[in-house]
Amino acid sequence: MYSNSILRGLFYSIVVLFVMMMLAACNASQDDKDLVSQIAIEENEQEQVVTATDEQPQTRKIKTVMGDIEIPAEPKRVVAQGYLATFLALGVKPVGAPFWDIEAPHIKHLTDGIEDVGTIELGSIEKILSLEPDLIVTLSTDPVMYEKLSQIAPTIVYEYNTLGEAREEIKTFGAMLGREAEAEAWIVSFNETVAAAKERLRGVVGEDETVTLMGGFEKDLYVYSHDSWRGAQAIYEHLGLKRPPLVEEMKRNNQPSQIISQEKVPEFTGDYLFVEAGQQASFDPKSSIWKNLKAVKENRVFILDSDYFWPFDPEAVKLQVDLAADMIIERAKKSKCTKVDDKIKGAAYALKRSSTLCFL
């Protein structure tokens, strides 16, 4: 039998050992908790770093004639003093634009809700301010106008006719808006339109046949050789139609347009003649100069609709490619019909036939 003192000592030893084991377990548990907490903190910090790295920038810098301009990466309220159709082509709908762009027939179906900001002058400032834009794009290089606009929102200046042909303009705006994919898709569609139009013209316009583009403005008569003037980009640059020698000389001399007298018209006129008369000037169809033009005699004169051929935006140019090609093709079909009908009427066995008889 163990004595009471021995039993008591053994009991105390067991209690002390148990307490020590409990304390050790608590310390281990706390260490585990601290380790878990530390790991969670480190993982959270890593996630924050990754998130910060993956976040898109809130602004981007654009080089302009007015210097580098910082603009929203994804502008939500754009005022377009010019270039409305270019924004729409990339899926961006401005809140304001001049009325002539809003009413342009080739984009009118897309402009509902866009407010008229008036003409591109200081009188439009109040209206633009009321629209609370976060980006303004303008054609105006007037320093006073620019200063006023810049006080409202970041303002990008793209001066008229400085962005190159339609595809270059789309690329520029795609980069500005962060819509490079949309720009590339538009360019693919544009190239397909041009290729199809050129294929339709194959065999209709001879390789050596030439095309002239003329137009009236403020009672003067102009010949156009290149750039965006009155469909010149669509007709010459994209459809690849050939210029007469004097017009080609203008192009070589980087002369987009030239005023000529009525007497000079025959010297500049090719096998085909596109005329954009506008509201100010027109040819006199009764004049001997007009009647003796080869293009007139062969029924190859085409009157251009100013509403469709004054605009120079990418969407307008794309449409002009199709319109110009279709006008030539339809006229060629009608000419064939007329020639066949004349032969029938002149035959000895003349039969009464309508003028619609046509062998194509």
Side-chain angles (χ1 to χ4, degrees):
M1 296 293 295
Y2 296 104
S3 66
N4 290 337
S5 60
I6 293 174
L7 291 174
R8 191 180 301 112
L10 180 60
F11 174 77
Y12 286 139
S13 296
I14 293 171
V15 170
V16 170
L17 179 62
F18 178 76
V19 170
M20 291 176 66
M21 291 174 65
M22 290 294 293
L23 289 173
C26 289
N27 288 336
S29 177
Q30 184 61 44
D31 289 343
D32 289 343
K33 288 181 180 178
D34 291 343
L35 178 60
V36 170
S37 297
Q38 183 62 32
I39 291 173
I41 291 171
E42 290 178 357
E43 288 179 347
N44 185 51
E45 289 176 349
Q46 290 176 354
E47 289 177 359
Q48 289 178 354
V49 170
V50 171
T51 302
T53 303
D54 290 346
E55 282 182 356
Q56 296 297 321
Q58 298 301 305
T59 61
R60 62 168 53 89
K61 285 188 177 181
I62 305 297
K63 290 185 178 181
T64 76
V65 294
M66 299 298 186
D68 290 351
I69 307 298
E70 190 168 359
I71 69 170
E74 295 184 2
K76 304 297 183 184
R77 297 184 61 81
V78 177
V79 166
Q81 283 193 318
Y83 306 106
L84 173 59
T86 311
F87 279 107
L88 294 173
L90 294 173
V92 176
K93 190 171 186 177
V95 295
F99 66 88
W100 59 80
D101 282 342
I102 295 172
E103 296 296 321
H106 66 292
I107 58 169
K108 191 173 181 180
H109 62 291
L110 299 173
T111 61
D112 285 348
I114 300 176
E115 296 197 36
D116 174 20
V117 297
T119 56
I120 303 177
E121 59 183 4
L122 290 174
S124 65
I125 295 295
E126 186 175 348
K127 177 62 179 180
I128 293 173
L129 178 63
S130 72
L131 294 176
E132 300 181 347
D134 56 5
L135 175 65
I136 301 170
V137 178
T138 181
L139 291 165
S140 175
T141 56
D142 176 22
V144 177
M145 182 80 171
Y146 176 75
E147 182 180 357
K148 296 288 186 182
L149 292 174
S150 297
Q151 291 172 0
I152 300 172
T155 301
I156 301 292
V157 175
Y158 286 133
E159 193 174 359
Y160 169 73
N161 213 27
T162 59
L163 293 179
E165 54 110 319
R167 289 166 294 194
E168 291 302 316
E169 183 171 320
I170 285 289
K171 283 183 181 179
T172 298
F173 274 74
M176 178 182 72
L177 298 169
R179 293 189 170 238
E180 290 88 352
E182 290 84 349
E184 186 58 36
W186 189 93
I187 290 170
V188 169
S189 175
F190 181 86
N191 289 341
E192 290 173 349
T193 295
V194 171
K198 292 175 76 170
E199 183 61 30
R200 295 199 306 274
L201 284 173
R202 189 186 302 276
V204 177
V205 178
E207 293 183 3
D208 295 327
E209 291 183 320
T210 59
V211 177
T212 300
L213 174 60
M214 294 185 182
F217 184 71
E218 295 182 349
K219 298 184 179 180
D220 288 322
L221 179 60
Y222 286 79
V223 177
Y224 302 108
S225 67
H226 64 286
D227 280 350
S228 299
W229 301 97
R230 311 297 189 267
Q233 184 185 148
I235 291 169
Y236 293 129
E237 308 304 328
H238 300 302
L239 288 175
L241 298 176
K242 191 175 180 179
R243 301 172 180 85
L246 288 180
V247 181
E248 183 62 36
E249 184 178 340
M250 290 171 56
K251 173 68 167 59
R252 286 196 302 270
N253 294 333
N254 195 29
Q255 186 178 6
S257 65
Q258 179 177 326
I259 297 175
I260 64 171
S261 65
Q262 294 283 346
E263 291 71 24
K264 290 286 185 179
V265 168
E267 298 177 27
F268 284 84
T269 302
D271 300 288
Y272 294 82
L273 175 60
F274 286 94
V275 179
E276 191 286 305
Q279 303 298 319
Q280 292 81 16
S282 63
F283 293 99
D284 180 6
K286 297 179 181 179
S287 71
S288 59
I289 293 175
W290 176 265
K291 290 180 179 179
N292 288 319
L293 292 175
K294 179 183 177 182
V296 172
K297 291 179 178 179
E298 297 187 1
N299 196 24
R300 291 177 172 181
V301 178
F302 307 92
I303 306 301
L304 300 178
D305 186 335
S306 301
D307 288 340
Y308 288 96
F309 280 86
W310 270 56
F312 50 86
D313 61 79
E315 289 286 359
V317 173
K318 185 178 181 181
L319 179 60
Q320 289 162 10
V321 166
D322 267 336
L323 290 176
D326 288 344
M327 280 189 280
I328 293 174
I329 293 165
E330 290 303 314
R331 185 66 59 82
K333 289 180 179 179
K334 290 181 180 178
S335 295
K336 283 186 178 181
C337 290
T338 301
K339 289 178 181 179
V340 170
D341 194 50
D342 288 343
K343 288 181 180 179
I344 292 173
K345 290 178 180 178
Y349 56 88
L351 299 175
K352 292 182 179 179
R353 304 194 179 207
S354 70
S355 59
T356 59
L357 180 61
C358 180
F359 303 131
L360 300 178

